[in-house]
Amino acid sequence: MSKDIQNPAVSLSRRSALFNSAGAAAAAIAVPLAALGGAAEAAPVAKAGGPAAHSASTFTTRDGVEIYYKDWGPRSGQPVVLSHGWPLNADSWESAAFHLANNGFRVITHDRRGHGRSSQPWDGNDMDHYADDLAQLIEKLDLHNIILAGFSTGGGEVARYVGRHGTKRVAKLGLISAVPPLMLKTATNPGGLPIEVFDGIRAGSVANRAQLYIDIASGPFFGFNRPGAKVSQGLINSWTAQGMQAGHKNTYDSIKAFSETDFRDDLKKFDKPTLVIHGDDDQIVPIDAAGRASAALVKGAKLIVYPGAPHGLTDTHKDKFNADFLAFAKS
């Protein structure tokens, strides 16, 4: 794959892409390419049983980090816990959380340490800490029979949670545009992405983090760089605002966490029904090295491929995604 990356400023291929920041960042930013989704497919929406209850709170982890979370829907509903992607926060799950809560589920979304409204510790920005924070949230709320799903980096958090804490509280698992099994190209993972890709993101973050986020959101994340794409300035603004709310050091460290953590052994411990959803034109986390590889490692996993969909399919294809995920939750 490294032969596709000719210049960290401008190269573009079917398997990986570089996208550029302004000024000094322009020569440094590299991000995998794979494509766009197009308009969201219409899907039937289940009848709501009344407005969802809405509350938000925080708790402090055993190592002193304050974690913000939202707890939507009826408290009697089966819990759904959703982990977000980099460099976002719980707000990125808003559409799916609202849909699930209005269909009777109790939906918990949290801001990962260093992201959103959670505190910004200098250390501990790694998958083990992310998974342990998630475990403490689940324990605090005393959740059982959970439908546990993660988007992108959140999929890594979910996988590491299973690896470290098991599935005794879990009923079902979901990996959505998720980073497992391993993003980085290594001797044992030849289909991964070269380290230069992630070094480029780090360089862009240091050079001009705000511009980097604008470029990601307005380009490959939602597939808005594809010909004929219907661009949503609202999604771009929301994505960028969420990213800038996160800590600089935290998001910088998280690049290593999502790209270099090997989740292969974690996935082998999945022993609950698992849904894998991935777009086949994902420019950020290519489907072959991620969604398809994860589905192959998890015994009995169900893989749903969204033709032409980008990384951010929970927004660009939200009607289809919400319907598919609700059907899985109810099954």
Side-chain angles (χ1 to χ4, degrees):
M1 181 178 299
S2 58
K3 69 178 184 291
D4 293 331
I5 300 181
Q6 302 168 357
N7 183 307
V10 292
S11 109
L12 186 69
S13 77
R14 295 298 295 177
R15 286 297 308 267
S16 63
L18 304 172
F19 55 101
N20 306 3
S21 290
I29 301 163
V31 172
L33 176 321
L36 150 85
E41 276 185 62
V45 178
K47 292 181 180 179
H54 176 198
S55 66
S57 194
T58 63
F59 78 98
T60 302
T61 66
R62 286 187 282 271
D63 63 342
V65 177
E66 187 175 68
I67 301 293
Y68 170 94
Y69 67 94
K70 301 178 185 181
D71 192 346
W72 289 6
R75 295 302 179 269
S76 60
Q78 183 178 5
V80 179
V81 179
L82 303 172
S83 293
H84 65 79
W86 175 94
L88 307 174
N89 60 49
D91 295 352
S92 63
W93 275 114
E94 191 170 80
S95 172
F98 186 74
H99 186 68
L100 289 163
N102 271 315
N103 280 278
F105 290 89
R106 179 183 180 184
V107 186
I108 294 92
T109 56
H110 66 291
D111 292 356
R112 184 171 300 119
R113 63 168 56 204
H115 294 68
R117 290 137 295 203
S118 294
S119 57
Q120 300 180 4
W122 193 252
D123 301 308
N125 303 297
D126 56 68
M127 282 293 169
D128 286 354
H129 281 87
Y130 296 164
D132 290 352
D133 292 347
L134 176 60
Q136 289 175 66
L137 172 61
I138 288 170
E139 291 162 9
K140 170 188 167 53
L141 298 177
D142 194 25
L143 303 176
H144 298 270
N145 196 34
I146 303 164
I147 300 166
L148 179 62
F151 170 83
S152 194
T153 298
E157 181 178 296
V158 166
R160 184 49 49 94
Y161 170 88
V162 171
R164 288 173 69 83
H165 300 279
T167 59
K168 62 182 179 181
R169 292 177 178 263
V170 177
K172 298 174 184 177
L173 293 156
L175 298 173
I176 315 303
S177 301
V179 298
L182 172 61
M183 286 198 73
L184 184 67
K185 180 179 182 179
T186 67
T188 62
N189 188 47
L193 296 159
I195 189 66
E196 289 81 9
V197 169
F198 307 107
D199 287 342
I201 302 173
R202 279 184 279 265
S205 182
V206 170
N208 190 336
R209 187 164 73 111
Q211 188 61 52
L212 171 66
Y213 291 171
I214 291 170
D215 290 345
I216 294 173
S218 62
F221 189 91
F222 297 111
F224 292 157
N225 57 339
R226 288 308 202 198
K230 184 178 180 180
V231 177
S232 167
Q233 191 62 47
L235 288 179
I236 294 170
N237 292 350
S238 176
W239 200 99
T240 304
Q242 288 180 55
M244 292 306 296
Q245 192 176 16
H248 192 175
K249 172 68 157 54
N250 309 98
T251 54
Y252 184 92
D253 288 355
S254 192
I255 297 166
K256 179 181 179 68
F258 74 65
S259 65
E260 297 183 38
T261 304
D262 189 339
F263 301 103
R264 286 176 287 191
D265 287 341
D266 301 309
L267 292 176
K268 292 174 184 177
K269 296 180 180 179
F270 278 40
D271 57 0
K272 303 292 183 178
T274 300
L275 176 66
V276 180
I277 294 179
H278 218 106
D280 70 3
D281 202 14
D282 189 326
Q283 301 177 64
I284 305 295
V285 182
I287 187 174
D288 287 339
R292 288 191 175 115
S294 287
L297 283 173
V298 177
K299 185 177 180 180
K302 179 181 180 180
L303 172 64
I304 301 179
V305 177
Y306 286 16
H311 190 60
L313 57 77
T314 56
D315 284 307
T316 61
H317 291 58
K318 71 178 184 179
D319 292 337
K320 177 171 174 52
F321 172 76
N322 287 347
D324 286 342
F325 196 82
L326 180 64
F328 173 68
K330 287 184 171 183
S331 64

